């Protein structure tokens, strides 16, 4: 079941979502998260950092699996790797053990990333964003509903959207990424998706009005899950 929660701005969303994560870590210290990168979760991570610095919530037993990572990233732009993003914005600030933080690699495709997740007793909460074209993680349009972690080709629109992180040079954006599959994400016990800004409104509208999976809009895969909450500042009718 997909539920929508509306807030007037992204800061209020970040506060609400961070509280869920903080409460989860306190209730279950060995929680397992799937985490997203990019602008959507950034304010949430900032709130988690503030909480750690003020309240010392203990992350030492938490395990994380990130949704995706670039393939063949130019060393000039190594600071745009998703590992670097997570280290800078969360992992190096809270007391999580870095060997408890995982990213998909070419060596963890063909079910191996899923096996690592299974070895950790599965994911308690998956945190997602959504692309303008409805992709979640790097599951671009026409991704199979039963897909698992794999190497994918990034669409021109996704590369264009990410060019702002590469000196606005779309040619510098990697053409491929490794991503958790839709089925990998749907195996999480709970899913939270953050979508802010008018550019995400069409994807959310497709989600609200399409009740079965439409491969042209990967976000509609979320209807296959029983516990999904969308946090957004867009009113969808």
């Amino acid at each position: 079941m997909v539920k929508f929660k509306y807030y007037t701005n992204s800061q209020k969303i970040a506060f609400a979502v961070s509280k869920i994560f903080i409460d989860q870590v306190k209730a279950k210290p060995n929680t397992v998260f799937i985490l997203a990168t990019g602008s959507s979760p950034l304010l949430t991570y900032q709130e988690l950092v503030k909480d750690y610095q003020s309240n010392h919530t203990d992350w030492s037993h938490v395990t994380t699996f990130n949704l995706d990572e670039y393939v063949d990233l130019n060393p000039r732009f190594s600071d745009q790797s998703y590992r670097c993003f997570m280290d800078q914005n969360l992992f190096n600030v809270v007391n999580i053990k870095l060997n408890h933080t995982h990213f998909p690699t070419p060596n963890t495709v063909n079910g191996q990333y899923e096996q690592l997740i299974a070895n950790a007793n599965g994911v308690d909460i998956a945190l997602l964003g959504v692309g303008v074209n409805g992709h979640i993680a790097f599951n671009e349009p026409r991704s199979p509903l039963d897909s698992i972690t794999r190497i994918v080709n990034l669409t021109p629109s996704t590369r264009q959207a990410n060019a702002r992180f590469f000196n606005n040079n779309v040619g510098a954006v990697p053409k491929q990424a490794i991503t958790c599959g839709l089925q990998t994400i749907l195996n999480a016990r709970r899913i939270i998706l953050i979508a802010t800004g008018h550019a995400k409104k069409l994807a959310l509208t497709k989600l609200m009005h399409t009740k079965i999976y439409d491969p042209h809009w990967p976000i509609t895969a979320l209807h296959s899950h029983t516990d999904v909450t969308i946090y957004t500042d867009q009113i969808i009718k």
Side-chain angles (χ1 to χ4, degrees):
M1 179 180 179
V2 176
K3 304 179 291 292
F4 284 78
K5 290 197 173 183
Y6 299 99
Y7 292 82
T8 54
N9 60 63
S10 56
Q11 189 62 58
K12 290 181 179 179
I13 291 173
F15 186 80
V17 173
S18 66
K19 186 176 187 306
I20 293 171
F21 275 69
I22 294 163
D23 290 346
Q24 175 71 23
V25 172
K26 289 179 178 178
K28 185 181 179 184
N30 64 338
T31 283
V32 178
F33 294 126
I34 280 179
L35 298 178
T37 53
S39 56
S40 295
L42 183 57
L43 290 177
T44 296
Y45 296 152
Q46 290 174 358
E47 289 297 326
L48 293 176
V49 166
K50 290 178 186 177
D51 168 75
Y52 177 75
Q53 293 171 335
S54 298
N55 303 314
H56 309 292
T57 298
D58 184 11
W59 285 70
S60 63
H61 299 288
V62 172
T63 297
T64 65
F65 292 88
N66 261 75
L67 285 170
D68 37 33
E69 182 58 281
Y70 286 120
V71 173
D72 295 331
L73 185 65
N74 186 321
R76 178 187 171 196
F77 294 103
S78 60
D79 60 337
Q80 293 305 324
S81 75
Y82 290 156
R83 160 62 76 176
C84 186
F85 176 96
M86 293 303 304
D87 285 348
Q88 290 178 348
N89 292 295
L90 186 64
F91 295 158
N92 286 347
V93 187
V94 301
N95 67 328
I96 195 169
K97 297 175 181 176
L98 290 183
N99 64 344
H100 288 184
T101 63
H102 305 278
F103 289 75
T105 72
N107 295 323
T108 56
V109 296
N110 299 322
Q112 294 187 56
Y113 204 53
E114 285 69 25
Q115 187 59 56
L116 289 174
I117 293 173
N119 292 345
N121 296 316
V123 172
D124 294 293
I125 300 177
L127 179 63
L128 310 178
V130 60
V132 173
N133 66 356
H135 73 247
I136 51 177
F138 275 130
N139 292 286
E140 298 281 18
R142 297 181 177 83
S143 292
L145 186 60
D146 62 355
S147 56
I148 60 175
T149 302
R150 66 207 187 282
I151 296 175
V152 296
N153 296 320
L154 301 182
T155 63
S157 65
T158 294
R159 295 181 68 227
Q160 185 64 55
N162 287 357
R164 66 188 189 278
F165 303 117
F166 293 83
N167 294 337
N168 292 314
N169 179 6
V170 69
V173 181
K175 295 180 179 180
Q176 292 185 314
I178 311 166
T179 187
C180 285
L182 292 175
Q183 188 58 59
T184 311
I185 295 167
L186 293 172
N187 285 341
R189 288 180 272 276
R190 183 179 182 185
I191 295 174
I192 292 172
L193 185 146
I194 297 173
T196 57
H198 185 75
K200 307 299 178 69
K201 188 168 185 174
L202 179 57
L204 295 181
T205 301
K206 293 291 184 180
L207 174 62
M208 176 174 281
H209 296 290
T210 306
K211 300 304 181 183
I212 60 174
Y213 181 53
D214 177 355
H216 295 95
W217 292 92
I219 190 174
T220 59
L222 298 179
H223 285 299
S224 300
H225 198 279
T226 59
D227 188 355
V228 179
T229 306
I230 311 297
Y231 287 78
T232 184
D233 58 0
Q234 299 296 302
I235 301 296
I236 311 300
K237 297 181 180 179

